[in-house]
Amino acid sequence: VIVGLLDNGKLKLEEIHLFSNRKILIDGKLCWDVLALFFEIKKGLSIAAQNGHSDIRSIGVDTWGVDFGLIDRSGQLVGNPVAYRDSRTDGMMDRAFNKIPKEEIYKITGIQFMQLNTIFQLLSLAEENNPQLQIADTLLFMPDLFNYLLTGNMTAEYSIASTSQLLNANNKNWSDEIFTKLNLPRRLMPDIIKPGTSIGYLLKDIALEVGLGPVKVIAPAGHDT
């Protein structure tokens, strides 16, 4: 957690809180401890407020790419977000290319082929008829998931969405062709927003918990690279 300060037109960065990001093996899947990460985010905000930064103007979150959480109709997280190094995507690239040519996917998305990409993670769930896909109502990439936990609002920031290999680079929206040919649930994908878009305000209970007011949460470029 880093605080940015404007001083005579110059930006200064103050490191507030560092914490580890562990991968945990759960039921044979390599998962992210998303609740621990959210706890540490809130702890960092609380430390910032205690260190004299209770007048924070806005909050922005960025993370690594491709990984996601699934949210059900009641707004609850379905299972644990699986890490991109998990083996569930083994063989998924070949399965995808049997349904839609590799060249066609690249022409649509312009993204480097890696088996960890969201397209192959989602395909692995669809191929095994994973019940999470039936339960889920919305897919949120990791920064979008934390934005949701902070504000209650669900969006997909453009830069993080582009890591999925599910985005049409020409019209800058989800590729209906890819979703259709791979038989993936297009209904899960939230509206795409541009970096700099205001997502909403810090939820009242969280603001009270961390000692801040109604701070805006604004989407930066959510992909860390």
Side-chain angles (χ1 to χ4, degrees), residues 107-180:
K107 184 178 179 180
I108 294 170
T109 66
I111 295 298
Q112 177 186 3
F113 285 96
M114 295 183 288
Q115 75 169 30
L116 53 80
N117 288 350
T118 314
I119 184 175
F120 305 117
Q121 294 195 42
L122 200 54
L123 181 61
S124 72
L125 293 176
E127 291 283 293
E128 68 178 19
N129 293 314
N130 192 300
Q132 288 189 4
L133 289 185
Q134 281 72 52
I135 297 170
D137 187 66
T138 307
L139 181 152
L140 295 176
F141 299 102
M142 297 309 294
D144 303 317
L145 177 57
F146 291 121
N147 288 335
Y148 166 64
L149 295 175
L150 290 169
T151 68
N153 296 326
M154 300 186 198
T155 57
E157 185 276 320
Y158 182 79
S159 74
I160 200 71
S162 75
T163 71
S164 67
Q165 210 161 30
L166 294 167
L167 192 72
N168 186 313
N170 297 300
N171 64 23
K172 296 178 170 43
N173 208 336
W174 304 116
S175 170
D176 291 329
E177 182 178 358
I178 289 177
F179 278 91
T180 298

Side-chain angles (χ1 to χ4, degrees), residues 63-111:
T63 77
W64 63 98
V66 307
D67 289 342
F68 58 88
L70 296 171
I71 306 296
D72 68 16
R73 292 180 182 177
S74 66
Q76 299 300 307
L77 184 64
V78 179
N80 298 292
V82 176
Y84 56 81
R85 295 300 183 190
D86 186 75
S87 62
R88 67 176 176 172
T89 53
D90 290 351
M92 286 301 118
M93 293 180 73
D94 289 337
R95 287 188 177 228
F97 301 153
N98 287 333
K99 299 181 180 184
I100 177 171
K102 181 178 181 179
E103 294 76 14
E104 190 172 340
I105 296 176
Y106 186 77
K107 184 178 179 180
I108 294 170
T109 66
I111 295 298

Side-chain angles (χ1 to χ4, degrees), residues 34-43 146 149-150 206:
V34 66
L35 297 183
L37 291 176
F38 188 56
F39 171 84
E40 297 291 356
I41 289 171
K42 292 192 295 180
K43 182 178 179 180
F146 291 121
L149 295 175
L150 290 169
I206 294 178

